[in-house]
Amino acid sequence: MLGKLIRKKPVSSAVSLSDQITDMKSRQIPAHVAIIMDGNGRWAKRRNLPRIAGHHEGMKTVRKITRISNDLGVKVLTLYAFSTENWKRPKIEIDFLMKLPGEFLSTYLPELIEQNVKVEMIGNFDVLPEHTKSAIHKAMKETANNDGMTLNFAMNYGSRLELVEAVKEIAQLAQEGVLSVENIDETVINSHLMTAHLPEPDLLIRTSGEVRLSNFMLWQLAYTEFSFTDVLWPDFDEQCMLNAMKEFQSRSRRFGSVEGENNA
Ligand code: V0D
């Protein structure tokens, strides 16, 4: 009688995160995951909070997603933290944003080190405030010898500007006669991008329901699988990340070939 009322399993038939992770690791894990962390302002607005409260909450998501990505065996996690277009925002918001790297690192650098994570950055470093630069510098220096996951922040990054700079460098080499025009190929272009040392992203996630690239890694995303979700970045949790990974694993990656597909 009573036995029927006592459940042996929790009411929710949810599978634990660690069981899901174990299961996923038996299949292909994307080596490089890139994320456009959108929806922080909207998250705050819905709670009648200032936008900066959303940015601050978003930082906690960065911590969560870094940890689970590392647990899954992701090799590179690139997070789009600040775009070249973000300078158009109110100064007060920019000032707050520029304090986040320092706050994030003073709170979480010890655990990043413990997790063997290597902190890197792409984007134009030079124009960032001195205090932002020094916080990031310190983190890069202290994690330089870590050989676990690379946590790559795209800060003051814009893809078209990256391509303009690459074209200039290549043109310069051609002009100097170091490189002949006939020898310019995809490999040469790749080697002049800020991501030259990284594998191309296998999976791009954008949160908050926007379905565009916003000048993010235009060249590098040529063959990447895209996963869009309506979830706002501060609400994006471990389960959301696992769902995106599951979506990735369930798709056949064809690279334009016909392998396993009946293309018309
Ligand atoms: C705000 C959501 C961590 C997106 C996440 C200045 C918008 C929280 C960093 C960070 C931001 C950057 C570099 C680094 C360590 C941490 C960060 C910005 C914004 C842009 F080495 N969160 N975060 N940077 N937000």
Side-chain angles (χ1 to χ4, degrees):
M1 273 287 275
L2 198 61
K4 277 186 181 174
L5 298 172
I6 300 169
R7 292 173 190 267
K8 293 216 173 79
K9 277 187 182 172
V11 177
S12 79
S13 60
V15 182
S16 75
L17 290 176
S18 76
D19 283 355
Q20 292 180 74
I21 292 172
T22 308
D23 185 51
M24 276 188 170
K25 286 176 106 167
S26 64
R27 283 186 283 271
Q28 194 201 355
I29 295 291
H32 185 175
V33 178
I35 308 184
I36 302 176
M37 307 182 287
D38 203 3
N40 305 288
R42 215 173 313 161
W43 181 92
K45 197 175 175 189
R46 284 187 191 168
R47 287 167 174 72
N48 280 315
L49 294 169
R51 289 175 59 80
I52 56 170
H55 296 318
H56 197 263
E57 194 66 23
M59 208 171 61
K60 298 183 193 161
T61 306
V62 170
R63 179 205 190 190
K64 276 190 219 167
I65 299 310
T66 299
R67 182 178 287 273
I68 196 164
S69 299
N70 197 24
D71 290 348
L72 280 160
V74 169
K75 295 277 174 267
V76 183
L77 177 66
T78 296
L79 301 177
Y80 202 7
F82 194 87
S83 78
T84 48
E85 285 79 36
N86 287 157
W87 294 109
K88 295 174 195 157
R89 293 183 178 180
K91 183 176 183 300
I92 185 129
E93 186 177 340
I94 293 174
D95 289 348
F96 180 86
L97 283 167
M98 289 301 158
K99 287 185 195 136
L100 291 180
E103 185 182 343
F104 180 88
L105 293 166
S106 65
T107 318
Y108 302 128
L109 188 56
E111 65 182 60
L112 293 177
I113 292 170
E114 186 195 300
Q115 293 169 64
N116 195 23
V117 167
K118 183 176 182 161
V119 176
E120 287 186 5
M121 214 204 90
I122 56 168
N124 184 2
F125 203 62
D126 301 346
V127 299
L128 299 177
E130 222 34 70
H131 67 92
T132 312
K133 278 195 272 199
S134 67
I136 300 173
H137 249 137
K138 176 172 173 274
M140 294 199 298
K141 207 175 113 202
E142 289 186 18
T143 62
N145 296 321
N146 289 355
D147 58 5
M149 188 179 79
T150 296
L151 175 58
N152 181 36
F153 287 99
M155 288 267 294
N156 193 24
Y157 172 86
S159 186
R160 288 188 178 180
L161 185 60
E162 176 189 37
L163 286 164
V164 167
E165 294 304 325
V167 169
K168 281 185 184 168
E169 287 175 20
I170 295 165
Q172 183 70 37
L173 294 176
Q175 198 172 41
E176 289 167 357
V178 183
L179 177 69
S180 68
V181 171
E182 305 83 78
N183 288 335
I184 298 173
D185 59 11
E186 292 189 13
T187 308
V188 169
I189 294 175
N190 259 323
S191 71
H192 286 270
L193 300 178
M194 292 164 174
T195 52
H197 61 296
L198 301 173
E200 287 174 13
D202 304 288
L203 173 64
L204 171 82
I205 299 169
R206 183 168 187 158
T207 57
S208 164
E210 308 298 338
V211 189
R212 49 191 142 75
L213 290 181
S214 302
N215 203 17
F216 185 57
M217 291 196 167
L218 302 178
W219 170 279
Q220 296 87 340
L221 295 171
Y223 295 103
T224 305
E225 294 285 343
F226 290 179
S227 174
F228 295 99
T229 171
D230 288 336
V231 176
L232 307 178
W233 179 249
D235 293 326
F236 192 83
D237 62 7
E238 288 87 350
Q239 189 58 60
C240 296
M241 184 66 177
L242 292 177
N243 293 348
M245 300 289 268
K246 276 180 200 167
E247 197 184 333
F248 172 85
Q249 290 188 331
S250 72
R251 291 185 200 160
S252 65
R253 305 190 69 215
R254 289 173 282 114
F255 285 105
S257 76
V258 291
E259 180 195 318
E261 266 292 329
N262 44 346
N263 290 355

